[in-house]
Amino acid sequence: MSYEELDRVGVIERVIEKRLTQREAARMLGLTSRQVRRLRRAYEQDGARALASKHRGRPSNRRLPSDLRREALATVRSQYEGFGPTLAHEKLTELHDLRLSVETLRHWMIEDGLWVPRARREPRIQQPRRRRPCRGELIQIDGCDHEWFEERAERCTLLVFVDDATSALMELLFCESESAFSYFAAMRSYLEQHGKPVALYSDKAGVFRVNKKEPHGGGGLTQFGRALSSLNIDILCANTPAAKGRVERAHLTLQDRLVKELRLRGISDTEAANAFAPEFIEDYNRRFTRAPRSEHDAHRPLQQSDDLDRVFSWQETRFVSKSLTVHYKRVLYVLDPTDAARAARGKTVGIEEREDGSLSFWHGEHELLATAFPKDHGVPQGEVVENKRLSAALEFIKTQQRERIAAKVAKPSTTRRDARLLRAGTPRRPEAGPSLEARP
């Protein structure tokens, strides 16, 4: 019986014992006095079960036909094995013209064993992994977006590097977001302090891993991955957050202790927080670091050939035209006509962009000098152009003029005669009235 029916039994018993009038019982149950008298007679005759609903246990008068249930489940079992109720419902409705609700199909599939709801599934087993034996063999890295300065400043991101063998904090960097240049700065600071680790362990964010199945370029490496590869450092991506649990648990500790330390010192900006980070790292490691199983340090020293300025830059390649011009981010760059630049004509050159926006052009080991001509503004009227760049400037001007002429010809208001004159390079003469050669 339901709770409502049990309450009704108690009220009827009080009526029979004359502790409650029929009118009062009717008001309490929301019934009429006549219904209360009927319930009393039924209770005196058959007991409490007489007050239970007679519809309980009987099939609903609005239930769907049994044939529809058998057909739907047979179709799901034969053609849509492994489909969830929502997707299976879409296929049954669109392809088989079986009309029923998603929830009805869900209940049928659960009762028939074709679908296990999430609440009944066995939890995923996360088996523990032993720590790496050596310091510097595996470094877990991750970014944590949090209100590090509470209400004193805007949210920012903290990049965290944790050693897998000792749980020691290796690097902390406050920044605006998890970008390639942010990780460049953090990784450079790490290398200058500790040397090169064997491998990094991260999540599958776009900074670390190319997630597109068919990327347009880059050799399957992100900018950060390319920088690590040039330093002979590998990067591995975890499939779940629990797999890199040391850095994830470090986030929780930092969100508690570091936030309060910043508050006590009145630090409210990333620059001051980064200056305080080494002091916090030393105190944190003194309290929470554990000894590694092996005394060997797997870090490798930086080599003289490791040019970190070039390694930690955004690198792309561009084609050099016959007139020694290179296009990059809607800007035309004209290379100085040196021997190295002439050797790069018709080939690709490397472009390295720093965080401050400065660029350098490289062909092999030769750095090329270049002058920028913004494509959006063209060559300004009266621009002073050196003789050695005159040819490139004229070529750029011609290209812009041809684009302007093509845009004018494409306008619906341009007549055939005007289009012919524009293509011939003859300037338009003002006309008194509308053209007689209108386009059809």
Side-chain angles (χ1 to χ4, degrees):
M1 299 179 69
S2 65
Y3 288 110
E4 182 179 358
E5 293 169 342
L6 291 174
D7 292 339
R8 183 173 292 184
V9 170
V11 173
I12 297 301
E13 287 179 347
R14 292 167 64 186
V15 172
I16 295 174
E17 295 171 358
K18 297 183 179 182
R19 291 188 295 145
L20 199 66
T21 65
Q22 293 182 1
R23 182 172 297 180
E24 291 173 339
R27 185 170 60 252
M28 293 175 61
L29 299 176
L31 304 174
T32 64
S33 298
R34 181 181 178 184
Q35 289 175 309
V36 171
R37 288 194 296 271
R38 179 178 58 81
L39 294 177
R40 176 179 177 175
R41 288 194 300 269
Y43 182 84
E44 292 174 341
Q45 181 177 355
D46 297 323
R49 64 178 182 179
L51 303 186
S53 175
K54 301 301 187 294
H55 295 287
R56 185 173 289 111
R58 296 182 180 180
S60 172
N61 294 330
R62 299 167 55 187
R63 66 173 181 172
L64 296 175
S66 301
D67 294 340
L68 176 60
R69 172 172 178 156
R70 285 193 295 269
E71 182 180 359
L73 293 178
T75 305
V76 172
R77 190 179 296 104
S78 61
Q79 301 184 33
Y80 306 117
E81 183 180 358
F83 282 46
T86 302
L87 182 56
H89 172 265
E90 294 176 3
K91 298 304 178 183
L92 292 178
T93 303
E94 298 171 1
L95 304 180
H96 303 275
D97 196 28
L98 297 179
R99 303 298 174 180
L100 67 161
S101 68
V102 178
E103 290 305 315
T104 298
L105 181 61
R106 187 187 310 276
H107 289 303
W108 288 354
M109 292 177 65
I110 292 174
E111 292 173 1
D112 205 56
L114 297 176
W115 177 254
V116 180
R118 189 176 301 274
R120 300 182 189 175
R121 298 177 191 172
E122 294 185 2
R124 186 173 181 177
I125 299 175
Q126 301 286 353
Q127 294 185 335
R129 174 182 60 83
R130 295 193 68 181
R131 294 174 180 267
R132 302 307 304 169
C134 303
R135 183 175 182 269
E137 187 176 357
L138 184 67
I139 305 299
Q140 298 187 15
I141 64 175
D142 195 15
C144 181
D145 179 61
H146 186 65
E147 294 180 348
W148 296 104
F149 307 115
E150 299 171 307
E151 297 84 10
R152 303 187 304 278
E154 296 182 357
R155 293 174 67 99
C156 65
T157 299
L158 177 64
L159 304 186
V160 183
F161 288 45
V162 175
D163 181 60
D164 186 82
T166 62
S167 293
L169 287 181
M170 309 298 288
E171 180 65 30
L172 294 177
L173 180 69
F174 290 89
C175 55
E176 292 184 359
S177 62
E178 290 187 79
S179 65
F181 282 109
S182 298
Y183 276 102
F184 283 166
M187 194 65 210
R188 179 165 187 166
S189 175
Y190 179 98
L191 294 174
E192 292 173 347
Q193 294 181 63
H194 309 288
K196 296 189 286 188
V198 175
L200 302 182
Y201 200 38
S202 70
D203 55 22
K204 293 186 284 188
V207 177
F208 312 115
R209 180 175 182 266
V210 178
N211 293 311
K212 289 187 177 180
K213 294 183 178 179
E214 297 181 359
H216 295 294
L221 292 175
T222 64
Q223 291 290 332
F224 188 66
R226 184 264 316 154
L228 294 179
S229 179
S230 64
L231 294 171
N232 195 21
I233 301 173
D234 286 273
I235 184 167
L236 308 173
C237 293
N239 197 40
T240 62
K244 52 183 185 66
R246 311 205 199 289
V247 69
E248 296 290 346
R249 287 190 293 273
H251 289 332
L252 300 178
T253 307
L254 294 172
Q255 290 173 8
D256 179 32
R257 288 176 170 261
L258 182 54
V259 168
K260 293 177 175 61
E261 293 289 349
L262 295 175
R263 184 202 307 163
L264 291 175
R265 287 164 174 77
I267 297 175
S268 302
D269 59 88
T270 57
E271 184 176 354
N274 286 327
F276 167 67
E279 178 184 347
F280 178 84
I281 290 174
E282 182 179 357
D283 181 71
Y284 180 98
N285 291 342
R286 179 175 58 84
R287 298 176 185 275
F288 301 111
T289 300
R290 60 180 298 171
R293 285 184 286 144
S294 172
E295 296 297 329
H296 173 69
D297 192 341
H299 285 103
R300 297 159 293 166
L302 288 170
Q303 304 297 322
Q304 293 184 352
S305 58
D306 295 330
D307 188 348
L308 299 185
D309 289 332
R310 293 191 60 186
V311 168
F312 293 119
S313 61
W314 189 278
Q315 298 185 9
E316 296 190 18
T317 58
R318 290 294 186 272
F319 180 79
V320 181
S321 68
K322 294 182 179 179
S323 56
L324 298 182
T325 59
V326 177
H327 293 266
Y328 181 71
K329 290 187 175 180
R330 298 193 59 79
V331 178
L332 177 74
Y333 294 91
V334 181
L335 303 178
D336 286 0
T338 61
D339 292 339
R342 292 190 182 95
R345 193 176 349 189
K347 301 177 183 178
T348 57
V349 295
I351 301 178
E352 299 177 0
E353 181 178 359
R354 307 313 192 269
E355 188 174 9
D356 59 2
S358 60
L359 300 178
S360 60
F361 298 81
W362 294 82
H363 181 59
E365 297 299 323
H366 300 282
E367 184 174 6
L368 310 177
L369 300 179
T371 303
F373 287 89
K375 293 174 66 176
D376 292 337
H377 305 288
V379 180
Q381 297 288 353
E383 175 76 8
V384 177
V385 180
E386 296 180 8
N387 181 52
K388 60 182 180 180
R389 298 194 182 96
L390 184 60
S391 297
L394 288 175
E395 288 296 328
F396 182 66
I397 290 172
K398 290 178 184 178
T399 301
Q400 280 198 321
Q401 290 178 348
R402 285 194 292 268
E403 291 176 352
R404 296 192 195 105
I405 290 173
K408 291 181 179 179
V409 170
K411 291 182 178 179
S413 60
T414 304
T415 64
R416 292 180 178 176
R417 176 178 174 275
D418 291 338
R420 186 168 61 252
L421 293 177
L422 286 170
R423 292 193 185 97
T426 305
R428 286 186 64 181
R429 292 177 296 181
E431 297 180 358
S435 174
L436 296 179
E437 292 185 51
R439 282 187 171 180

